[in-house]
Structures are given as structure tokens and as C-alpha cells.
Amino acid sequence: MEKKQPQKGGKAKGEVAVKPFVGGSKRDLLLEMERDAKAHWAAIEKEEGKGIFDVDAPTEGDQPKFMVTFPYPYMNGRLHLGHTFTISKAEFAAGYHALKGHRSLFPFAFHCTGMPIRSCADKLRREIDTYGNPPQFPAQVDTPAEQKPAAKTVVDPTKAVKGKKAKVVAKTGVAKHQWQIMEEMDVASAEIANFADPQHWIQYFPPHCQSDLRDMGVRVDWRRSFITTDTNPFYDSFVRWQFETLKDMGKIKFGKRYTIYSPKDGGPCADHDRHSSSEGIQPQDYTLIKLEVVAPFPEKLKSLEGKKVYLVPATLRPETMYGQTNCFVLPTGTYGAYEINDSDVFICGAQSALNLSFQGYSKEWGKPSCLLEVTGQDLIGLPLHAPLATYPVVYTLPMKTILTTKATGVVTSVPSDAPDDYVALMDLKTDAKLREKFHVKEEWVMPFEVVPIIDIPGFGSTAAVKVCQERGIKDQHDKLKLEEAKKEVYLKGFNDGVLLVGDHKGEKVSVAKDVIRQELIDRGLAIPYSEPADPVTSRSGDTCVCALCDQWYIEYGEDEWKAATEKVVESMELYSPEVRAQFEATLGWLREWACSRSYGLGTQLPWDTQYLVDSLSDSTIYMAFYTIAHLLQGPENVYGQKPGPSGIKPEQMTRHVWDYIFDRTPEPPKDTEIPREVLDKMRREFTYWYPVNLRVSGKDLVPNHLTFFIYNHVAFWPTDKCPQGIRANGHLLLNSKKMSKADGNFITLRAAMDLYSVTAMRFTLADAGDSVSDANFSNTTAETAVLRLVTQYDFIKEMLEGLANLTDDEPSTFEELAFLSAINRSIVETDTFYKQMKFHEALRTGFFELQNARDSYRTAAMKMNKQVILKFIRTQLILLTPVCPHYCEYIWTKLWLKYADPEGKEVKTITRASWPEAGAIDEDLLRKTAYLDANLHDWRLSAQALLSKKGNIKQLTLFVATDWPDWQKKALVALQGLYRKETNDFPEDYKKQIAALFPNVERPGGKSAPPPFLGKMFSILESVADKTAAEGVSAMSVDIPFQEYDFLAANLDRIKRSLPAGIEEIILVRADEPGGNEAKKAAAIPLKPAFQFGADPVKKK
């Protein structure tokens, strides 16, 4: 990469996890291995004249391929461990598929489009202009931020949830200056001022990102890297082609649409332009009902006489306006009388007035005009004409739970179908002191009864009344019960309700709702209104509104396009039912998406250059650009500022050229100067690598980027070129806590590599978790990784340097054949887990369990076998290579090639090795080994405990059961019948159910009691149930898979070697033979011998 060269090894201040990490000399050894492995790879690159992970399409043939991509990270800072967790999923998959013989491509690029870089640069420039260079900021005292009640999310229960994140962040203290943020990124003070130029960000961070990832050892073909925005003329041309094509297809249209908008930045604020807590929030549509104030006006409103004055409650349920009995305001709230036009005045909260001004409801767009301010108390008792209401006049009353920052701060009351309204109205009817407190007259409340307007099966015609009474809701303070009641009534009312009144009497609510809304608007009795469903803050620090803007938008949700996209999603591998459900929900609600903005960085819309393409719209099919970027740009040219290997100039990349390269037309354009062989080579790259086999991403991108990604591929290519799989993951916790710079629990990729070593970091990322739930990066796991890996290195080194000391016979003993079967099983199971993207499980079978099998063999074997040990070492190295490539490369080149490959038949880098072939797996040997290892573990622990007390053990007696007693067999068969396959568990009362099968027995004196074996039976059932949870249904089998007594008899020497020194004799006793220790024999069960240690008498002196 050209341009800015990074400084290696720097850690940003405050970016190391607060929990200390213990690494020491063993960690340092891993760091040394990593340096050596990188030097080895560099030597290969120098020898071959290309990157070690560079890969091209074959000139002919169809060699298996694998292409994996990751959403290019935003270049406004260094990569952190959260980025790295998701990147690791792609990295491990790419490494695995390379070992499986695929041409494995993992390209990587750098995202610079959008507002964040521009807004940060502008903020820095303002600070320099205001406070100097370097700036001298005024002293500030950190004080807790004002704590305001959080506005409750208002959700229309009849609509799908629009990808809203459940993030509510309460922050304290003052905001940091941009200069201070740059210092925390470890940017030298002398260089910070340069970042006032947005282009400097683009020059500075991509090289750092690339350097960090190179040191991490990711399998990236860096020739294919690029940056976005018009700084790169090739990518700029690509995006212009994409958008001109979409427009010609009729996918892009122009018109007024509600959009989240930043007044400060002067343009739409899409997800990538917001703080993370605001991502996924969409506009929430309401209907504003115009409740006209009846003259004469009270003193507080006298100055408004001559105008039409309205209280304007926002509602999600316009069809219920027939049941209005009153209007509610917050008595202590501040309201304004806002001039909408020459004749109309709306009384509402300030935030809604600001939103309205951006939707055409003010004299000047974006500037609300407040004629006067009043309190909610000033409005109580106002008589109102309510559209569609049965009562000719209703009154304004107090409600204590209203938030003036949500919707308009005015609530129209429909107590028949709104539990909140019913309870609030009943409070005023029944509580004279409450009326007195807020100066409410009885005539404003008492005459107004609930009006039945909708019949709901099972709920009647006054659903809110019924639900509140049934749930025992007493007053407005029963918030949880009210919330549950509201959801139930709203959803049932929409789906099953039938109108009892009005022009649409007899119609279902689901049919009439939108019709009634439009009729109210057409008659001038209501207006449409929208606001952000939750507060949205832009990256520039602005509180966003919902604006009705002229904008270019992509028509996602169009019926034919949506159906085709749904079909592709249906066929994709998504690895998780939860992710599939999230995609299906998103496809259900996603509609028009604003794709243009006026502020930021990016590509200009080709046909309307006053606008830029937004950052979520120029990032949908760039995976296709990866396939040919190395030919257009070439290595060390991410900015595309010089000709690449193809010799093509950016201006030669016309729409027809792009269409031919990307297999959208059969013939190249006749007027191009680009040679046909060059065009065909690029076309071959695209047709070979496409479709994308896998895209990895955080699950938070499903409601936007990932769905756009699929939609756009469907628009451009047939199904066989559409993505095949998406692997979405959750967020990464650091030591079981959310990563947070403010809390000091945060670490960059660079700092993590320095702290843990690349090897331990990668190992811990693989172990962190495979589900879509949040994963956990644990210091404890990293420490374990360091110890286990170094211990394994010592073992491998000892074995390879001492091969002459091992036997070289054909493996034939029980221990040798059992270990080979364990190795072969590890190969098969680990292969499956890598393929399924279950890296935690791949580590379990491909490292931990393989290590256990090695330890078992090492303990059991009189002398280890060279062929078996070599098979283990080679298998272990290759199975671990996707996760720990530096570690495995070091052992491969320094030890394996030197001692195990004297003839030089192996590849010179383990990253090009082939997945090991699995031989025969003898399940009988594995069962016997597992049986012996488990029992030996128990016997050793017991012996060690006794030795610490008695100090003298000479004998071990094993009592071996030859069959299950009838009662045990009956209990296990019953347990099998209670097993729940779908949840891999048993009912909570499984022991009680099984105990009922065994009636009481008669005792002396004519009394009955439970059978004496019941306690032991419960113990056995608990043990088997636990084993079933880990191993599956086979753990409940009553079949005895081998002759246990004979097997133990054949392995007495091994048992003796595995126990503490001094135990000289092992005695076997059949549990069904008469005589001896009856209690011990009774305790024995198949595959679990009872045991007893004995000692020689201690001689007296």
C-alpha cells in the first residue's frame, strides 16, 4: 500500500483491557514464533514474486473455489477486537477451505464513504479555528449529564419491528473534543491538525489497518484492496455504473419521502452516519388529529383569537377516533403554540414542532415559529371539537405519564380500546382529590362514558375495560400491566376487530384503518406526521429529526424484486434460524431507502451531481469489484491513482465495459480501446469467483446492509451468481463485559496482538463462541492457550528430535490402534465443524480432545510408536492451522520439515498443505478407551486423596457388574421414554415419574415403604441424564458394548501404570459371584465398577 506508512506496535491510550493478562516468557516464545513465521512467508513472497495468499482464477477448468468477504471497515480509526472477532470468522473459513484444496480468496477493502470522516474533520477544523493549534480548551468540570426520563419506544403493534437495536445508553460527563479523541488514537500531536482535511483520514488509517491485519496473518490477497469514494477513480466509475444501471432498471426513483435527517449536517442521516446506539432506527408514521379549540379562548390563548387553534395528538390508531371522550396533556409540561400557516396554529411539544417544520408544516422550512408558550395546566379544561367523536365537545384533562418529547405530548383519549386512556379517565372520575389538584371540573369528566366502537371476539365492544378489570390494573402506575394490556388489545383489535360505528360499520379494522386515515386527511381533519421511532444522534453530535425530503431512493420492497430476493434468501445457508427469521422480518417491512445525501464523502450521483451516493448504497455489490481490482489497480495501489497491470485507464471503464466484464452482456463493446484478451481475463476472474460463497458480518447489519447486499445482487445477476451464504455473529464481550472506551474495557487489534500474542488472540477468538448471541473474549482462555500451546510445542519438539527413540513397527497394539482411531475421528469431526463455521467446536475436537487422546496414549503406551506420533503431529498442525497459522508454520518449518521430511516431499509452507485423510475409525476401541480413561481418572483422584491421609496403599480391588439388575434396566428404559429430543433433556419431574413405577414394599410390622434401591436409582438416573446432555441418547442404552471384566483383565498393567506409585496389585471381582464385599458389589453398575483400596498392615516398632 502506498501513501501513509504506519508506525508499528503503538497502542492507543486507554485501549488495553482493565483485567491484567499473565503471559510471561511463554507468551514471548509465541511472539518469537510469529516473527519467524512472518519472515518465512516474506521469503516465499520474495522468491515467488507475489503475496503468499495471492490467488487468481485458473485460465481454464473449474478447480473448486471459495470466496469469502467481510464488510469493509470504516476508516475513521484503528481496528478493535470487535472488528477482529467478525474478521476471524472469515479468516478461519478461508484457511480451512485452502487446506481442503480450494482456491481460497479473502479480499479486503477500506470504507470511507459517508458523513463520519467529513464531520470529524469539520469538527476538528472548528476547534482549531476557535481554540488555536494546538488548541487551548477552556477548563471543564465533569458533571453528571442531565438525567431525563427515557422516551418509551412507540411501536405500532400491527407493523413489523424495523431493525431497532435495544440500546439505551445513559452517559455522564462532558463530550470530548475531536483533538482529544485523536490523541487517544495515538496520533502524534504535530500531525493532528492535518486531520482537518478529510483526505488525510483516507491516507492515514488504511495503511494502519492493513499493517495490523498483515501482522495478524490474515489470508488476504492485498492486490485486490481499494478505498471507496471518488478518490479512487476506478471504484468511483464502478459505483456510477451500478447506479446508472439501477436507475435504468426503474429501481431508483425521486420524490418526497420521510427520512431521518440531521439539521446540522443538512442531509439524511443513514445508519453509518449515526452513533452506534442510533443504528437501525426508522421513521415512525403517525396521524395527527386536529382537535379544534372552541371559542371563546381562555386568557392564556387570547392572543391567538382570529386563528384556528388545534391541539394535535399523534395516534397510531385513527380508526378509533369515533370513541374519543377527552384529550390528555401533561400538567407540568411545556407546550408551544406554533404557526403552521397564515390561519392555523398547532399546540404541541417543541420536538414535534421541529419535526413538523421539516415536513412542510411551518412558514419557513426547518424553522418552527412559536407564537407563545403555555404549560399543560394552562390547557386543562379547554373545550375541543374532536373529529368523528360521538360527543360534540370534549375537554382537555391531565395525564401524569405523558412525555412531551415523544410524539406531540398531546394524547387523544379512547377509553374503549386504549387501556392507558381508560385507567387515566377512571382515576379522574373516582378521585376527587386528583380533580381538585389539577382544577378539573366534574362536568369535564363525569358525563363522558366509554363509547363502544369496535367488537373484538373474546373481548367484547369495550376491550380496554375488560382487559384492565381482568388484569387487576388499579391506576396509571401499573405500567407493566398496562403495557401488556395495550399490546394485547391493539393487536387483537387490528387482526380481529370489526367496526360498530361510522361509515365503515361492519368492516374489519385491518381493512378500514388506512381508509379512515386517508379520509380524515382528505377532509382536513388530520395530517400525516412522522418522527424517529427513538432518539437518533448523528456522528456530528446532532439530534436528528424526521424530514420530508426530495430525494433519490431505491425502491426496495417492490413486489417482483422482493419476491425474487425472498427466493434467494430461502436457498441461502444462513447457519442460524434466528438470522433467517431476522431476514424474513426485514424483507417484510423494508421499503424505499434514501440513497442520496448532500454532505460527506463518496461518489456523485451521475445524473444529479448535487447529491452523493450514501454509504449503505455504494456497498452492496462491491464484492464483484474485488474480482477484477487486482487487474485494474494492482498491488500497492488502493487509491487507484496509477495504471494497474491491465494498463486500463479509469475513463475507459464505460458502462458497456462493466457490463461485459460482469457477464451481463455476451459481447464486449465495439468502441472500446481495451484489448479483447484483457477484457476476457477480467471476465474470467468474475465468472470464476462469483458467486460469493460466504459473507460474514455482525448480526446488526441484517436489517440494512446484508439485506441490501442480497437485493442488489438479485437485481444485477441471475440466481446462480447470487450470494450462497451469510454467517452473522453477535457482539464480542471482553472478559464478560461490554467493550467500552468510557469504562476502560476496550482494546484495539494492535494492542491485543502485543498483549496476548497473535496466536493466543486468534485461539481465544475461535473459542469465544459460535452462536449469534454475544461471544466472550476471556483473558483466562488466552492464558490457557499460551500454556497449552507452548506445552504442546515442547512435546512435539521432544518427539521429533527423538524419533530414533521411538518404535518403528506397524501400529498393532490396543493403545496404538485406539489413538489412531481418535486421530481419525478428530479429522472427520473437525472437518465438519469448520464446514459449519463452528470454530469453538472445531477447537474442541481438533485440539482439546486430540490433546486428551495424546495424553491417554502417552500414559498407556510402554513405548510410543513413531508412525503413530508422526500421524498425530502432522494432523494436529494442519487441523490447527486455520486458527493458529504462525504457530503451526513455525513448528512445520523448524521441526517437521527438518526431522520428519528428510526427502523434501512436503510443501514449504503449511498454509498450502492438504487436509489430512482420515483412516478407519474403530468405535469399539474408542468406547473402550473412553471407558478406561474415565474410570482411571476417578481411581487416581481417590488414590491421591487416600495417600494424602494414610500414606500407604498397596492394592486396588475392582468390583465389575456383568449386567443391569432388573430395577436398573426398568428405570433406564423408562428414562429413554421421557427423553425430549428437541431440547435434549428430560421433564423436571422425571425422577418422580420413574419412581412411581416402583410400588412400596412391605416392611416388618405390616408397614410399607419405598424400595431400598430408590436412592441409588436416583443417583444413577442423575448421572445418566447428565451424560445424555453431553453425549446424546446413546448414554441411556442398557446394552453393554463389550465384556467389561475381560477388558479390564487384559489391561491390568496399564491400570497399574496409570495409578500412583506403590500400588502393587489389582484384583478383579465379578459382582454376581457369591461372597466378598456385598455392599461394594451392589454398588457396581455396568461400565462403572465399584472400587476399594487396601493397604498392608502398618508394622509397629
Side-chain angles (χ1 to χ4, degrees), residues 440-644:
V440 174
K441 297 180 180 179
E442 287 192 7
E443 57 264 33
W444 300 344
V445 179
M446 294 307 187
F448 295 89
E449 301 297 333
V450 173
V451 180
I453 58 171
I454 296 173
D455 181 65
I456 305 174
F459 290 81
S461 59
T462 54
V465 179
K466 178 179 175 63
V467 171
C468 287
Q469 291 174 349
E470 287 181 348
R471 290 178 180 267
I473 299 173
K474 299 177 180 178
D475 54 35
Q476 299 174 60
H477 300 294
D478 280 348
K479 294 181 181 179
L480 290 178
K481 288 183 179 180
L482 279 169
E483 188 65 28
E484 292 171 357
K486 181 169 65 175
K487 288 179 181 177
E488 184 178 11
V489 171
Y490 279 23
L491 198 57
K492 285 286 186 181
F494 177 79
N495 290 328
D496 304 325
V498 175
L499 284 163
L500 299 174
V501 296
D503 295 341
H504 298 276
K505 179 179 179 180
E507 293 183 15
K508 292 196 69 173
V509 169
S510 57
V511 174
K513 176 178 180 174
D514 290 340
V515 178
I516 294 173
R517 178 180 193 263
Q518 192 57 51
E519 288 176 352
L520 285 166
I521 293 171
D522 292 344
R523 292 169 58 188
L525 302 176
I527 62 169
Y529 170 73
S530 190
E531 70 178 26
D534 276 303
V536 174
T537 304
S538 72
R539 288 184 180 268
S540 63
D542 190 26
T543 298
C544 294
V545 298
C546 192
L548 190 60
C549 300
D550 280 330
Q551 59 186 267
W552 293 99
Y553 61 91
I554 301 176
E555 198 176 24
Y556 297 125
E558 182 273 321
D559 290 344
E560 187 176 340
W561 195 10
K562 175 184 175 182
T565 303
E566 288 175 330
K567 190 173 181 180
V568 168
V569 170
E570 187 178 328
S571 67
M572 290 177 70
E573 174 59 77
L574 299 178
Y575 299 94
S576 162
E578 181 181 335
V579 172
R580 184 169 298 281
Q582 196 176 4
F583 270 112
E584 290 170 353
T586 301
L587 289 170
W589 64 258
L590 182 62
R591 295 293 181 269
E592 299 95 345
W593 183 270
C595 61
S596 61
R597 67 182 60 258
S598 303
Y599 177 81
L601 305 177
T603 293
Q604 294 178 335
L605 275 178
W607 61 88
D608 196 348
T609 56
Q610 66 177 312
Y611 294 112
L612 300 172
V613 177
D614 92 292
S615 60
L616 279 169
S617 299
D618 79 339
S619 55
T620 56
I621 61 168
Y622 69 86
M623 310 82 202
F625 189 80
Y626 278 137
T627 65
I628 47 86
H630 63 304
L631 299 175
L632 288 178
Q633 299 177 190
E636 306 299 323
N637 190 26
V638 297
Y639 302 94
Q641 296 294 315
K642 56 188 178 183

Side-chain angles (χ1 to χ4, degrees), residues 870-922:
L870 289 178
K871 169 86 169 178
F872 162 74
I873 293 173
R874 191 177 192 279
T875 298
Q876 177 66 100
L877 290 177
I878 294 175
L879 266 54
L880 197 56
T881 291
V883 175
C884 302
H886 302 83
Y887 171 85
C888 296
E889 186 71 85
Y890 180 87
I891 297 175
W892 183 264
T893 55
K894 295 297 184 182
L895 298 174
W896 181 261
L897 296 182
K898 179 178 179 181
Y899 295 108
D901 184 39
E903 298 179 5
K905 294 182 179 180
E906 296 277 21
V907 291
K908 55 190 173 183
T909 168
I910 197 171
T911 62
R912 295 175 184 170
S914 296
W915 190 261
E917 292 186 11
I921 301 174
D922 190 324

Side-chain angles (χ1 to χ4, degrees), residues 32-33 107 158 208 519 583 620 649 683 696 701 716 772 777 808 810 940 981:
E32 182 182 335
M33 290 180 179
T158 69
H208 278 288
E519 288 176 352
F583 270 112
T620 56
K649 300 175 183 177
R683 183 183 175 96
V696 297
L701 294 187
F716 277 82
V772 293
F777 186 100
D808 201 12
E810 191 68 23
R940 274 195 301 269
K981 182 179 179 180

Side-chain angles (χ1 to χ4, degrees), residues 289-307:
I289 307 298
K290 296 166 68 174
L291 305 185
E292 186 173 1
V293 179
V294 178
F297 291 178
E299 189 64 33
K300 290 281 185 178
L301 302 182
K302 281 290 185 184
S303 61
L304 303 178
E305 286 184 342
K307 294 182 180 290

